[in-house]
Each structure stands twice: as C-alpha cells, then as structure tokens.
Amino acid sequence: MNPKGVKARECRDSAEHPNSVGIVFALDVSGSMGEIPRRLATETLPTFMKTLLEAGVPDPQVLFMGVGCARSDRAPLQVGQFESTEKLMDQWLTWLFLEGGGGGGNESYELAMYFAARHTDMDCVRKRNRKGFLFLTGDEPPNPAVSKDEVAGLIADGLGADIPLREIVEETTRSFEPFYLIPDLGRAANVGAQWREVFGVRAIAMHSPDDTSHVAAGLVALVERAVPNLSALLARYRSSGLSQERCDAVADA
C-alpha cells in the first residue's frame, strides 16, 4: 500500500459492472482515534460493499486508504486498489497498517485528497462525467496546505510549491464528491466547525463510528439518486435488518 511512484489507481467498467462508481475511503489510523480504526477495519468496513448494495448503489468499486501524520509516522499514507468484491476489499483492510501514531501535528488528510485528485483514473469521470466519492474520517483539524516536501518523499511527485488547502479541495471536487465523517458527537464538538469551513454540510457528525458504513453508503445512494429520498433509504436499511435506533442515528447524521 506504499503510494510512492504510483501513477494511478484505476476504477474501470467491466461486463459485470458496466457503470462503475469509484469510492475512496480514507481511514484515520492515528492514536487519537483510539480503538476506532481497528473496529472500522475489522468489524464495520468489511461489510461496506454489502451496505452499498443494500442502499441501492449498483456498481460500486471501493479503494481504502490509511492516513496518519506525515511529520511523525512511518506510514502516513497507505493506498489500496479499487475493488468490487467484499473478499478483495477485506484483503486490503487486512493489509492496512493501523499504526496508532500521530503526535507530530494534525493528520495528513490533505495528502489523501492530493492522491485522489491526481493519482486516480475512473471511468465514471472519464466516460460519463460523473464524479466519484471521497470519504475522509478522522478527528483532527485540517492542515493549511499540501507540503511539496511530503509529496516528494511519500508519492515522488515534484511540486514547485506547497498547495493551499482550498486549492487541493477545489481540485479534488472536480472528480469527487468529498465528505469528512467525524466518528462521534464528542469529536464533532472539537473539529466540526473547522471542517465545515472546508466542506460545508459535507462535514458529517455521526453518533457512533458503528454508523460509518451506513452513513457513507447512504450518502452515495442519495447523491447518485439510487434512492429517491432519505425515507426510501431508511426503508431499505430497515428491510435489511438495521435496527430503528441505528436508522435514526444514520438519518440524523
């Protein structure tokens, strides 16, 4: 999952999935997240593909990233491949290094945006002019810029200067619908306002990290119009066995 020298991660149509939609999920694996990365990687996200299909998204392809702190961690950016089966998605989650580091500053979410913007090639964009989806999850404020030195060291791209955060966000939104998922309301109280300045209403405060797959899949389904409205989405979730309490939490998020 080392991104150094990677030209592009590709999301392609196939006979089985003729209308692929690329979904990048960048998971904060730093120490401040506590047990959340382990829970997400081993319990919640392995069923993300199933949840996407339950939500009505017909041809999803999912790429997992791991994000840490580029100033202090050994593996601050990890990048998998786009996959369309639970088995292969689970393999990348198994390989994800849950470093539990950080401490050298805020986590490097901007590097995940940079990689998504410049190192993915998706048929949904290329063929149909339809954006993919980028989900960042974490509990730290955003950094002010993409560091050219960090990009050189981690990805091997040569930049003439740092890229301000607002510019990499703008570039990312050309190909992706971006969202920042905050695991719980306590963390949202600390960083929600800062991320709303970046993503507006797409900074999502969840009740629990256990809602991550259903919130993310629901956002894809609603933006893609795979379901007509939130009520229809919740009806799908209830019919698949999600409790009323969890449906209410997903709806609130």
Side-chain angles (χ1 to χ4, degrees):
M1 299 183 77
N2 185 349
K4 193 165 189 175
V6 172
K7 182 178 180 181
R9 295 303 201 207
E10 297 180 341
C11 177
R12 299 296 185 216
D13 296 341
S14 66
E16 291 183 348
H17 303 285
N19 295 292
S20 61
V21 55
I23 302 168
V24 174
F25 200 103
L27 173 63
D28 183 337
V29 296
S30 68
S32 67
M33 291 280 280
E35 281 292 297
I36 292 174
R38 183 198 62 78
R39 285 168 58 189
L40 290 179
T42 62
E43 300 172 16
T44 304
L45 291 176
T47 63
F48 187 36
M49 180 62 72
K50 177 175 178 287
T51 307
L52 283 162
L53 296 174
E54 289 172 352
V57 182
D59 294 314
Q61 291 192 24
V62 181
L63 179 155
F64 288 115
M65 290 186 186
V67 178
C69 176
R71 290 160 295 287
S72 62
D73 291 350
R74 289 176 289 167
L77 184 65
Q78 305 170 59
V79 182
Q81 300 270 14
F82 285 103
E83 304 291 2
S84 56
T85 67
E86 283 191 15
K87 181 178 180 180
L88 291 174
M89 284 170 52
D90 189 49
Q91 183 180 65
W92 289 108
L93 285 169
T94 300
W95 287 340
L96 193 66
F97 177 35
L98 304 179
E99 186 164 3
N106 299 333
E107 313 316 331
S108 302
Y109 310 111
E110 73 283 354
L111 290 177
M113 285 187 261
Y114 175 89
F115 190 95
R118 298 198 180 184
H119 289 272
T120 59
D121 189 353
M122 301 181 294
D123 278 352
C124 58
V125 175
R126 179 186 292 269
K127 292 182 178 181
R128 293 178 288 281
N129 198 29
R130 296 292 298 271
K131 295 180 182 181
F133 291 80
L134 171 63
F135 293 101
L136 304 163
T137 184
D139 63 350
E140 295 284 347
N143 288 314
V146 177
S147 163
K148 64 182 179 62
D149 295 332
E150 292 170 4
V151 166
L154 293 168
I155 304 174
D157 288 357
L159 300 179
D162 295 349
I163 304 173
L165 179 64
R166 60 179 175 76
E167 291 185 13
I168 198 61
V169 169
E170 180 182 355
E171 185 175 342
T172 302
T173 58
R174 295 173 196 165
S175 299
F176 289 91
E177 305 281 3
F179 295 87
Y180 189 85
L181 305 182
I182 307 171
D184 54 54
L185 298 179
R187 288 175 167 86
N190 294 328
V191 301
Q194 290 153 296
W195 279 103
R196 282 192 292 274
E197 290 181 3
V198 178
F199 286 151
V201 296
R202 292 175 182 233
I204 307 291
M206 298 185 294
H207 285 228
S208 164
D210 297 337
D211 299 329
T212 301
S213 285
H214 286 90
V215 169
L219 289 167
V220 176
L222 289 165
V223 174
E224 284 286 290
R225 299 183 181 179
V227 290
N229 51 47
L230 182 59
S231 295
L233 173 70
L234 297 178
R236 280 180 168 270
Y237 283 163
R238 283 195 295 271
S239 68
S240 67
L242 192 66
S243 71
Q244 185 63 54
E245 179 184 8
R246 295 264 59 87
C247 281
D248 290 344
V250 169
D252 191 45

